[in-house]
Amino acid sequence: MRFLALLLATLMAGAAVADNRIEGVRIWPAPDHTRLVLDTAGGVKHNIFSLSSPSRLVIDLEDTRLKADFDEVALEGSPIRRIRSAPRNGNDLRVVLDLKSDIKPRSFTLKPNKQYGHRLVVDLIDEGGTRIDRASSPTVTQNSAGKRDIVVVIDAGHGGEDPGAIGPRGTREKDIVLKMAKTLADLVNQQEGYTAKLTRTGDYYIGLRNRTVLARKYNADLFVSVHADAFRTSQPKGASVFALSQRGATSETARWLAQSENRSDLIGGAGGLSLDGRDDTLAGVLLDLSMTASINASLGVGGSILGELGQVADLHKPGVEQAAFVVLKSPDIPSILVEAGFISNPTEEKNLSTDWYRKRLSSAIMEGINDYFRKTPPPGTLLAWQKQNRSGGQASHYRVQRGDTLSAVARENQTTVNELMQFNGMTDDRVMVGQTIRIPSS
């Protein structure tokens, strides 16, 4: 009798383990990868490997059976031709992706959150070069005056499998901020002397670090990340603007110094300051100065935007807040994060779901950006050229921007490096981001 009971318990335990199942499947195509998500009833052990001629990806799942219908999955825009499956080794399941071309696979599991249960995530990465690799050349934009445009990179938060905050009516942050980012990009592109770039243009996820890498690849003068806030209760409301905190700057400085591959492209790209070949002490000082200047510029443009937002919407706080958000940690690019409102507040959720309110907020953000850059335009831009012509050649002050050199400042202001050095009491021609230089009159 004891033997039968033990046998029965063993069989029941085996059945329980084997009862794990794939209950759903979703695909998120992105410019540089496609994300395949398998919803599972519980945590799953798995193994993946690639095959060639023809290209396939094999996913083996232990003690799992299939309850979803792979034939109903839309594969348009993905590298997947077909998904098929078959039982294996009794209780296991083998899923095979027939592919259009070779890919680089990456997989991991996710625990349940507010929207989804257990998940197995498989990323199919484009072997032909990621979007970041393809964006290796800085953006060069010219206007009718032959001067370059100010480049504003706009980042819609979350995306794909990451919905962000979800409002009482089911409104998803990722959808709201993508629409708002596109509206803001249109307004930026309509403004003379500006060009907008989007980190994402559809419903897919981009890693937080990759968002700032894209901004650097696009040679951004400003990075704006758009989000919608949430709280556990429905009372909080109002828009916010964030810049990087000093604590976040300190940790990022240490990370950059620890990763030698960062040194060649910091600070300011071509024509700017590089940390390559400098000892750790000097590199640390230069990086700290650049980070401090970037934060100060972020606070400046953030304050300008907050002032405009306060005229069209409620503000959650009266001043620019600071936090250690990863997307704000560019040592050489002024970066801000705009919380458009609280999606957890029913009134603001309703407003953020409308085109007119999103355009109202976007217009305020654009006004703030333009107001800031009209006062402190980067050298070589149309706005800098217009400001110089308006001044009639009178003596003025110039604040050093990312990528500046003293020779470039001298050239833009029709003077010489020696004259600038003498006028400012400088002993050498090195300049730092945020430094104010007096420009002699003609």
Side-chain angles (χ1 to χ4, degrees):
M1 182 67 71
R2 181 180 298 176
F3 172 77
L4 290 176
L6 182 61
L7 179 62
L8 181 60
T10 302
L11 291 174
M12 290 178 65
V17 173
D19 196 39
N20 200 3
R21 57 196 179 276
I22 296 177
E23 298 178 325
V25 57
R26 292 181 300 284
I27 289 183
W28 307 98
D32 58 349
H33 74 281
T34 292
R35 174 159 290 187
L36 171 70
V37 182
L38 302 177
D39 293 310
T40 59
V44 63
K45 293 182 179 180
H46 74 285
N47 181 51
I48 63 172
F49 59 92
S50 299
L51 296 172
S52 299
S53 301
S55 300
R56 288 154 290 163
L57 181 67
V58 179
I59 309 169
D60 286 334
L61 302 97
E62 293 185 15
D63 300 312
T64 303
R65 56 193 175 93
L66 180 65
K67 293 292 289 183
D69 188 352
F70 287 147
D71 292 333
E72 294 182 355
V73 180
L75 302 177
E76 293 82 3
S78 79
I80 306 173
R81 295 183 186 275
R82 182 178 59 158
I83 305 177
R84 49 195 174 91
S85 65
R88 179 175 176 271
N89 296 337
N91 289 332
D92 296 346
L93 178 70
R94 169 162 287 183
V95 177
V96 179
L97 309 182
D98 294 320
L99 303 170
K100 300 173 185 176
S101 60
D102 289 342
I103 55 89
K104 179 182 178 181
R106 177 182 61 193
S107 67
F108 54 92
T109 57
L110 292 174
K111 294 181 179 180
N113 60 17
K114 291 182 179 179
Q115 186 171 12
Y116 300 115
H118 289 277
R119 286 153 291 163
L120 170 60
V121 178
V122 181
D123 284 338
L124 313 177
I125 301 170
D126 181 6
E127 282 281 81
T130 67
R131 181 184 177 193
I132 292 175
D133 294 332
R134 293 193 294 268
S136 57
S137 300
T139 300
V140 178
T141 54
Q142 298 291 335
N143 44 58
S144 58
K147 306 297 181 180
R148 78 171 182 88
D149 287 346
I150 291 172
V151 179
V152 180
V153 172
I154 304 166
D155 170 52
H158 308 283
E161 190 67 9
D162 176 13
I166 300 176
R169 299 165 56 194
T171 306
R172 299 181 301 187
E173 180 183 0
K174 68 171 184 176
D175 300 326
I176 295 297
V177 297
L178 179 60
K179 292 175 181 177
M180 187 168 165
K182 289 181 176 180
T183 299
L184 178 57
D186 289 340
L187 293 173
V188 171
N189 286 325
Q190 290 167 17
Q191 183 74 38
E192 185 183 31
Y194 288 89
T195 291
K197 293 286 185 179
L198 290 166
T199 57
R200 71 176 178 98
T201 57
D203 188 13
Y204 49 85
Y205 183 77
I206 300 175
L208 298 179
R209 293 286 180 187
N210 284 345
R211 297 172 192 246
T212 58
V213 170
L214 273 173
R216 181 166 288 103
K217 295 291 187 181
Y218 288 138
N219 208 25
D221 296 288
L222 176 66
F223 178 84
V224 181
S225 190
V226 183
H227 290 254
D229 218 334
F231 196 67
R232 60 179 179 272
T233 65
S234 61
Q235 284 76 28
K237 63 178 182 177
S240 305
V241 177
F242 285 85
L244 184 64
S245 67
Q246 192 57 50
R247 178 172 58 86
T250 300
S251 64
E252 189 66 8
T253 298
R255 193 185 76 88
W256 274 83
L257 290 173
Q259 297 181 357
S260 59
E261 64 270 19
N262 288 326
R263 297 193 174 200
S264 60
D265 66 354
L266 192 73
I267 303 162
L273 174 65
S274 172
L275 301 183
D276 201 17
R278 302 179 189 270
D279 64 61
D280 286 350
T281 301
L282 178 57
V285 171
L286 295 175
L287 185 57
D288 182 64
L289 288 171
S290 179
M291 184 72 85
T292 300
S294 179
I295 291 176
N296 289 337
S298 302
L299 291 170
V301 68
S304 181
I305 290 172
L306 196 68
E308 296 293 335
L309 283 173
Q311 298 181 38
V312 301
D314 292 327
L315 296 181
H316 185 60
K317 294 287 179 65
V320 178
E321 301 176 72
Q322 292 182 262
F325 291 121
V326 173
V327 292
L328 300 180
K329 292 185 176 183
S330 288
D332 54 341
I333 303 173
S335 304
I336 60 168
L337 186 146
V338 177
E339 297 279 8
F342 278 80
I343 202 170
S344 52
N345 180 290
T347 301
E348 292 199 336
E349 178 191 22
K350 182 179 179 181
N351 287 340
L352 289 169
S353 299
T354 62
D355 290 335
W356 71 267
Y357 189 75
R358 291 193 300 269
K359 186 169 184 179
R360 187 177 179 180
L361 295 177
S362 299
S363 297
I365 294 171
M366 183 60 222
E367 286 295 325
I369 292 172
N370 192 42
D371 179 66
Y372 175 79
F373 280 119
R374 287 287 174 187
K375 296 175 182 175
T376 56
T381 61
L382 177 65
L383 269 65
W385 179 78
Q386 290 174 339
K387 182 180 180 183
Q388 183 181 20
N389 286 346
R390 283 196 305 270
S391 69
Q394 299 300 312
S396 60
H397 292 78
Y398 177 74
R399 185 177 181 181
V400 175
Q401 304 291 312
R402 180 180 61 85
D404 281 355
T405 61
L406 194 62
S407 60
V409 175
R411 187 166 55 251
E412 284 297 321
N413 290 278
Q414 299 180 351
T415 185
T416 66
V417 171
N418 285 337
E419 189 172 7
L420 286 180
M421 289 174 59
Q422 292 174 7
F423 197 66
N424 288 273
M426 300 168 65
T427 58
D428 57 49
D429 62 355
R430 290 180 296 180
V431 293
M432 295 302 301
V433 175
Q435 179 181 349
T436 298
I437 297 177
R438 296 167 58 230
I439 307 298
S441 59
S442 300

